[in-house]
Amino acid sequence: MTTVGEFMTTRLVTMDGNDTLTAAAQEMRDSAIGDVVVTDGDRVIGIVTDRDIAVRGVAENMDPNSTPLNRITSKDVITVSQYDDAVAAADLMRTYAVRRLPVIDDGRLIGLVSMGDLAVEREPQSVLADISADEPNN
């Protein structure tokens, strides 16, 4: 059995729910990532993706310089443990139609597993794995 902890991403970016959409977009750009985990102290309260900023924020005429992440955060976060089976994590993604799962240990965020991570691990010859394993080109 391959566990989530064997291939999860530990290079995480977290932001407070009161941070602005602009701050999150700049952090994503600077870190070459597509999402930030939104926290309240040590507690995970949601995830915001670059697509969320565009579709839930900007397209809805929210001012990105003043709108807090809490306004667009996906809040029903499904989490996994580093000891969970990778196949079970993939099943959760499929069931809940999500692309990322925060990895929690004793209530503390320790990683993130994405659909791309699973593809690289489970189907290394797939197109998604090939794209996910490649260095960013932007």
Side-chain angles (χ1 to χ4, degrees):
M1 171 180 87
T2 302
T3 64
V4 168
E6 293 176 51
F7 61 92
M8 69 183 182
T9 300
T10 56
R11 187 179 68 104
L12 301 171
V13 175
T14 63
M15 296 186 79
D16 186 86
N18 293 315
D19 289 329
T20 66
L21 304 186
T22 297
Q26 290 169 340
E27 185 63 45
M28 289 179 202
R29 176 200 62 206
D30 295 346
S31 299
I33 56 174
D35 62 89
V36 294
V37 179
V38 182
T39 58
D40 180 11
D42 287 340
R43 191 172 61 92
V44 173
I45 60 171
I47 294 178
V48 169
T49 67
D50 47 5
R51 186 175 190 282
D52 292 332
I53 292 171
V55 174
R56 292 182 183 172
V58 176
E60 294 297 327
N61 294 316
M62 294 180 187
D63 179 359
N65 293 312
S66 63
T67 302
L69 292 176
N70 283 335
R71 293 271 313 272
I72 66 163
T73 299
S74 299
K75 295 184 178 170
D76 294 327
V77 180
I78 307 302
T79 63
V80 292
S81 160
Q82 64 182 323
Y83 306 109
D84 286 343
D85 178 51
V87 173
D91 288 343
L92 282 174
M93 287 180 183
R94 185 178 307 110
T95 299
Y96 291 98
V98 296
R99 294 184 171 109
R100 298 163 182 88
L101 297 171
V103 182
I104 307 294
D105 186 31
D106 288 330
R108 188 175 59 87
L109 178 67
I110 61 166
L112 189 75
V113 63
S114 71
M115 194 177 337
D117 297 331
L118 286 169
V120 169
E121 175 62 29
R122 305 295 296 171
E123 297 177 25
Q125 302 305 317
S126 71
V127 173
L128 178 58
D130 191 42
I131 293 167
S132 298
D134 208 10
E135 289 295 318
N137 64 358
N138 52 359

